[in-house]
Amino acid sequence: MGRLSITGFRAVVAAFVSLLALAVAQAQPRFDFDRTPGRLPKDALPLRYTLTLDLDPQREHFDGTVAIELRARRALPALLLHAHELETTGAVTLKSERGAERTLRIEPDAAASLWRLVPADGAPIAAGRHCVHITYRGRVRNSGEGLYRIGSGADRMLATQLQAVFARTLFPSFDEPAFRAVFRIAVRAPQGLQVASNMPVERVRRDGAQALHTFAPTPPMPSYLVAVTVGHFETLTGRAASVPLRFLTAPGKAAQARYALGATQLLLPYYNRYFGQPYALPKLDQIAVPGVRDGAMEDWGLISYNESLLLVDPKHSGPDTPRWVFALLAHEIAHQWFGNLVTASSWDEIWLNEAFATWMENKASEHFNPQWQTPLHTRRWIDQTMARDASGATRAIRSGPVDERQVSDQFDDITYTKGGAVLSMLEQWLGDETFRRGLAAYMRDRRHSNASAGDLWHFMGRASGRDVAALAASWTDQPGVPLVQLDEACEGGQRVVTLSQQRFSADAGAAPSAQRWQIPVRLQQGQASATVLLAGDTARQTFAGCDGPPVLANAGGRGYYRVMYASTALQQLTAQFHTLAPADRSTLLSDSFALAQAGALPFGAYLALLDRLPAAQGAGRGALFAQAGDALVLLDEALAGLPVQQRLRERARALLAPELQRLGWQVQAGEASEDTSLRARLIELLARFDDAAVIGEARARFDADAAGRAALPAALRPGVLGAVGMHATRAEFDRLRAQLLAAGGEEERWLLAGALAGGRTRALVDEVLALSLAGTLPPNIASALPGLVGEAGVFGAEAYAFSREHWAALAKLAGTGPFGGNVWLLPSAAKSFNDPAQAAQLVADQHALAGAPGTAAASRIAARIALRAAMRPRAAAALESGS
């Protein structure tokens, strides 16, 4: 066989890539219930649950009765249901449309969380409609999953978090997303307590010292969206788009929900218009949970949040709290369409829920609050995700079959951040209106049902007339992030741009990859622009004339790829950095740092860009300095323990201190929110980098506040408390700890916990670690303390050793939920490590303690440790040489 020419070889590769894209696209079929993966067979379909729960916040257990109306699609020897840590308290019976009531025998499979219900008479269950009746008992949990308790004494309340696989801890069920059914829920609770669920209450009937609250039936929905809460609440009410709104808070905090009420009144009608589908339920409640749970959950009609993510306290909330609250509201309310009205077919497709909610959260935040510069700040999260995606510890957005025991691995930055970024890139490629029409058609067709990626691309393709499936599959069905290399040449008086692609790796020694993407590359040269679809190895684009500025790739910054310029072009872009559009400055800074970390660009080139930051004026300046701060912290972690670390800190102070001086310490009336946010961040960063003047000023303001001489403004609290906590004396530490133990809100607790954890005195940090097991803090805060110490970096080894030694006790506090939990205890404590041996130790320890469910979390942090270790000598050399 003769040797292939280069041209012939490229043709073969291009053909292979095309065939691969076709195969991947064909692997994204439209939703088919029978072919949807899951543990449960598809031969029995739940139609309706009638669920009665006996709930008392003062009890350690709860009682329940469930009647499940179902249809057997064929004669069955038994029924299979999910149930976990439930025990029956009476006979389990089955009644058919025609026929006598029969007893069912339970054959439990505790390891798989399954009950096999077998007819005691040995006869099969006939095809047709039946009703299974079960009375049972379960336990109330202390961590934020299943049915869990919050608080103590008379103020104790109950709430639920059933995503992903915790509905089975509340009631026996078909606990997989494809099994939608109507839920008729009733809750019996002590008189005087308020009860809420997904739907409006229809009636309340007294029953001695109890009251039975019966709720209207839900639309068909998956089991994980069921929600109940019981307790003493203060309420704030309103309306939006004719929908009654209600916010439930701990007593005395309803006024802090006013910001969230106003945001919801903007978001609900906005989404109604955008999706072309009105909000589907007759009410929307949102509850602020004062502890225990982390994150938020989009339960249909009753969204729950950790209170720090829903409430805004004018006296204590930091300058970023309103934007965090707005973004999370936008995310969870978007789920009322993405996830609830249309549900992902299985956990394999959960990105359809979460990526779209993330994309919509950013879109809505930018629409209503353009002054926040949301796209520029989103760059920081995308950078972190790209760093993971450039390592071996990544996965595809659609990563294939998902083991139920590791569903939590899907609720990560690949699903949320990469998924949202890829959707933003597709929206830019198709056009905003075309993208919206495709989504609206998708919603109309799949409402009250399930969907797969194939459904989405079908409607996007119809709306655009393009092969969206093939392009999208190259992003959703393979891991990694591409690197686009741009070369320019002058040919015949025209500027010819040649683009090439390869997989970007953070490992400089990684073998080349044959992966290819269909990349819509947006090019900009002066006022001229073009979008080139780079589907194979290379593509070309011509611009008129050879003069003028270099060509920018990923203009506007919405592409999920890295860009590498020729050295001459990069030098020109660096010199003209201050003239670039804000998004292009951010993207260039981001790509340059990533390339320097990977050894593909000298660190000196990145440091030269940092030097240009002060010249960048106008919109986006705050986001640029925040982005630079993230990079400097990463470099500081990589260089920890080396003499050159002090040179880095000098350089950081030289860059950041003049910016704080420009802003001043006093919040000015009417100042831009970006300046208010940046000021607090700069104070904390400069304290980390040992700026004596900033540390002294922070201490003085902290002391004046404590003495009652001058109250510390809310906008300065995150920066000042963080700075004081890092350099705390015994007296300052004691004051911070007393404030933490007395704090009346979650936002305040997290702020003070972070401040204490950042300390640089070993004896005081040992006291912080001990506090995690003292029983004086809510379990979510307590279990997070060692990780906060580890993330601060100074005593990471001590935090890690503590977490390993006390893993069982901390795991009991953390639980196993999808938003943190026990699998993150060791990885969080190891976050600032920079030694490959520490990465290997983490992986081994995690396997021993957390088993297979902890593999992904440990691998992610181990990859970050390896990246720091690899960049450590290169960054040190650049700083030592004065680059």
Side-chain angles (χ1 to χ4, degrees):
M1 182 180 293
R3 294 180 64 186
L4 271 175
S5 68
I6 293 297
T7 303
F9 174 75
R10 286 179 173 166
V12 170
V13 170
F16 171 77
V17 170
S18 298
L19 288 172
L20 177 63
L22 178 61
V24 170
Q26 290 174 340
Q28 295 190 336
R30 298 194 63 186
F31 173 66
D32 182 325
F33 175 77
D34 289 316
R35 295 184 180 182
T36 297
R39 281 192 173 178
L40 297 182
K42 303 297 193 297
D43 48 21
L45 302 179
L47 305 173
R48 185 183 183 96
Y49 295 79
T50 300
L51 176 63
T52 301
L53 298 168
D54 289 307
L55 305 180
D56 184 342
Q58 303 304 321
R59 292 187 345 206
E60 302 296 313
H61 67 273
F62 66 93
D63 295 291
T65 301
V66 64
I68 308 174
E69 298 173 41
L70 57 88
R71 179 170 64 86
R73 301 171 75 186
R74 61 179 179 82
L76 302 172
L79 291 170
L80 206 60
L81 295 177
H82 285 107
H84 185 66
E85 296 183 349
L86 301 177
E87 58 182 38
T88 57
T89 55
V92 178
T93 62
L94 179 140
K95 189 165 186 178
S96 304
E97 287 181 297
R98 295 182 297 277
E101 186 173 88
R102 303 163 66 188
T103 299
L104 301 176
R105 183 182 72 253
I106 296 179
E107 295 178 354
D109 181 348
S113 302
L114 294 173
W115 280 356
R116 190 168 185 263
L117 307 183
V118 183
D121 58 15
I125 299 168
R129 293 176 70 108
H130 308 272
C131 184
V132 177
H133 189 275
I134 306 171
T135 58
Y136 63 95
R137 173 167 288 187
R139 70 178 181 89
V140 179
R141 295 164 179 262
N142 293 315
S143 53
E145 59 205 19
L147 176 70
Y148 61 92
R149 67 171 60 83
I150 311 105
S152 60
D155 292 332
R156 181 177 284 181
M157 64 177 68
L158 298 175
T160 52
Q161 164 69 48
L162 303 189
Q163 190 188 59
V165 291
F166 295 109
R168 64 195 66 174
T169 69
L170 185 64
F171 55 97
S173 55
F174 294 77
D175 193 18
E176 293 174 1
F179 291 94
R180 297 176 74 103
V182 171
F183 289 83
R184 181 67 182 258
I185 298 169
V187 175
R188 185 177 289 105
Q191 287 272 9
L193 295 183
Q194 295 159 273
V195 180
S197 185
N198 303 85
M199 296 294 286
V201 67
E202 285 188 333
R203 62 183 179 276
V204 179
R205 179 172 59 83
R206 291 196 173 194
D207 184 7
Q210 307 286 307
L212 181 66
H213 304 252
T214 302
F215 297 89
T218 70
M221 67 182 194
S223 53
Y224 77 81
L225 289 178
V226 168
V228 294
T229 189
V230 178
H232 291 291
F233 304 110
E234 189 172 348
T235 60
L236 179 69
T237 61
R239 296 183 74 85
S242 301
V243 176
L245 305 177
R246 187 170 57 155
F247 289 84
L248 308 177
T249 75
K253 296 184 179 180
Q256 295 177 34
R258 290 197 180 279
Y259 180 83
L261 171 61
T264 302
Q265 289 171 326
L266 294 174
L267 289 163
L268 210 61
Y270 174 69
Y271 288 162
N272 283 347
R273 292 190 300 271
Y274 188 88
F275 297 127
Q277 297 284 324
Y279 174 71
L281 299 191
K283 63 93 175 175
L284 177 58
D285 291 342
Q286 298 179 79
I287 177 172
V289 179
V292 181
R293 77 151 302 131
D294 291 322
M297 179 59 206
E298 67 267 17
D299 296 319
W300 215 352
L302 178 57
I303 307 173
S304 63
Y305 307 77
N306 178 283
E307 72 172 21
S308 66
L309 304 174
L310 185 66
L311 305 184
V312 178
D313 179 356
K315 291 184 178 179
H316 294 100
S317 290
D320 289 329
T321 302
R323 66 176 73 192
W324 292 340
V325 168
F326 191 97
L328 198 56
L329 282 160
H331 185 102
E332 302 305 328
I333 295 173
H335 270 311
Q336 307 303 294
W337 284 262
F338 285 112
N340 299 2
L341 185 66
V342 181
T343 303
S345 58
S346 69
W347 300 120
D348 302 15
E349 296 276 21
I350 195 59
W351 77 278
L352 280 172
N353 292 7
E354 300 299 347
F356 270 98
T358 302
W359 165 77
M360 203 70 208
E361 137 197 351
N362 293 330
K363 189 177 191 69
S365 294
E366 175 67 6
H367 176 79
F368 287 109
N369 302 285
Q371 73 279 10
W372 289 347
Q373 303 291 331
T374 297
L376 301 183
H377 285 284
T378 301
R379 177 86 252 167
R380 297 168 63 193
W381 312 120
I382 292 174
D383 278 349
Q384 293 179 20
T385 304
M386 282 184 166
R388 175 190 171 188
D389 218 9
S391 76
T394 191
R395 62 175 182 83
I397 294 172
R398 297 176 74 244
S399 51
V402 176
D403 188 320
E404 276 193 346
R405 296 168 299 175
Q406 294 171 259
V407 169
S408 61
D409 292 346
Q410 304 301 304
F411 293 86
D412 65 357
D413 53 350
I414 297 297
T415 290
Y416 289 77
T417 307
K418 180 178 180 178
V422 167
L423 291 174
S424 181
M425 180 174 64
L426 290 177
E427 180 188 31
Q428 183 186 55
W429 178 57
L430 295 175
D432 293 3
E433 183 54 30
T434 299
F435 195 80
R436 191 202 66 80
R437 286 202 312 272
L439 283 184
Y442 165 81
M443 287 286 174
R444 284 194 302 271
D445 183 83
R446 305 312 303 155
R447 59 179 283 124
H448 296 306
S449 186
N450 296 80
S452 69
D455 292 300
L456 179 64
W457 308 139
H458 169 78
F459 289 104
M460 286 290 183
R462 280 178 46 174
S464 65
R466 299 189 189 186
D467 186 2
V468 178
L471 183 143
S474 75
W475 295 95
T476 61
D477 286 29
Q478 64 176 341
V481 55
L483 172 67
V484 173
Q485 292 179 269
L486 185 150
D487 289 299
E488 299 182 45
C490 183
E491 297 179 8
Q494 292 186 313
R495 187 181 303 224
V496 178
V497 176
T498 302
L499 304 173
S500 59
Q501 66 162 303
Q502 64 187 68
R503 180 171 178 173
F504 177 60
S505 175
D507 180 0
S513 169
Q515 283 180 256
R516 296 295 181 266
W517 289 259
Q518 294 195 29
I519 311 173
V521 181
R522 181 123 177 176
L523 300 175
Q524 183 89 31
Q525 201 273 323
Q527 299 301 310
S529 63
T531 297
V532 178
L533 187 60
L534 177 57
D537 281 358
T538 62
R540 286 161 60 95
Q541 177 67 34
T542 301
F543 288 91
C546 294
D547 297 328
V551 175
L552 274 168
N554 197 11
R558 291 175 67 178
Y560 187 83
Y561 51 88
R562 295 295 186 191
V563 178
M564 186 172 187
Y565 298 94
S567 59
T568 302
L570 180 59
Q571 290 170 9
Q572 288 180 278
L573 290 169
T574 300
Q576 300 166 11
F577 184 76
H578 64 288
T579 69
L580 300 179
D584 297 327
R585 295 191 304 228
S586 179
T587 305
L588 182 63
L589 188 67
S590 164
D591 288 343
S592 297
F593 186 51
L595 290 165
Q597 290 176 72
L601 184 72
F603 256 104
Y606 172 70
L607 295 174
L609 264 179
L610 278 186
D611 290 340
R612 302 293 300 169
L613 254 64
Q617 301 296 324
R621 182 182 173 96
L624 269 184
F625 273 90
Q627 190 178 331
D630 293 345
L632 289 167
V633 167
L634 183 59
L635 284 168
D636 193 52
E637 292 169 345
L639 297 173
L642 296 178
V644 77
Q645 183 185 21
Q646 295 309 313
R647 189 167 293 183
L648 171 75
R649 291 187 169 190
E650 291 169 7
R651 190 158 192 152
R653 294 195 297 268
L655 175 67
L656 304 177
E659 188 66 6
L660 179 58
Q661 291 168 5
R662 182 185 72 83
L663 294 172
W665 283 71
Q666 190 68 34
V667 179
Q668 302 299 318
E671 78 175 8
S673 61
E674 286 290 274
D675 287 346
T676 308
S677 176
L678 180 60
R679 177 186 291 107
R681 178 64 174 148
L682 289 172
I683 292 169
E684 192 166 6
L685 283 169
L686 285 163
R688 179 191 179 102
F689 297 132
D690 301 324
D691 188 299
V694 168
I695 296 166
E697 182 67 18
R699 277 189 160 136
R701 289 173 180 265
F702 181 66
D703 290 343
D705 180 73
R709 296 192 304 273
L712 186 60
L716 291 181
R717 286 178 62 78
V720 167
L721 295 185
V724 171
M726 281 182 224
H727 303 276
T729 62
R730 173 84 252 180
E732 290 165 342
F733 177 89
D734 288 342
R735 196 183 310 154
L736 288 169
R737 181 172 57 183
Q739 290 177 3
L740 171 62
L741 296 177
E746 278 287 282
E747 182 181 356
E748 187 75 352
R749 278 194 283 269
W750 280 111
L751 176 59
L752 290 161
L756 286 166
R760 297 184 178 181
T761 302
R762 171 66 190 272
L764 299 182
V765 169
D766 283 345
E767 292 184 35
V768 174
L769 294 172
L771 195 59
S772 67
L773 299 177
T776 53
L777 291 170
N780 59 332
I781 303 277
S783 61
L785 277 176
L788 292 174
V789 172
E791 192 169 359
V794 179
F795 295 109
E798 290 77 6
Y800 185 85
F802 182 91
S803 298
R804 184 172 55 189
E805 180 182 354
H806 299 285
W807 195 88
L810 292 167
K812 187 175 180 180
L813 293 170
T816 57
F819 304 107
N822 63 348
V823 299
W824 279 103
L825 292 172
L826 289 181
S828 293
K831 273 187 176 179
S832 65
F833 288 173
N834 60 16
D835 185 338
Q838 294 172 313
Q841 187 66 53
L842 167 63
V843 171
D845 290 341
Q846 182 83 332
H847 183 267
L849 293 172
T855 301
S859 297
R860 286 170 60 181
I861 299 304
R864 294 290 285 169
I865 296 170
L867 177 62
R868 287 191 198 92
M871 62 189 276
R872 182 177 168 95
R874 293 194 297 270
L879 286 162
E880 286 168 348
S881 68
S883 297

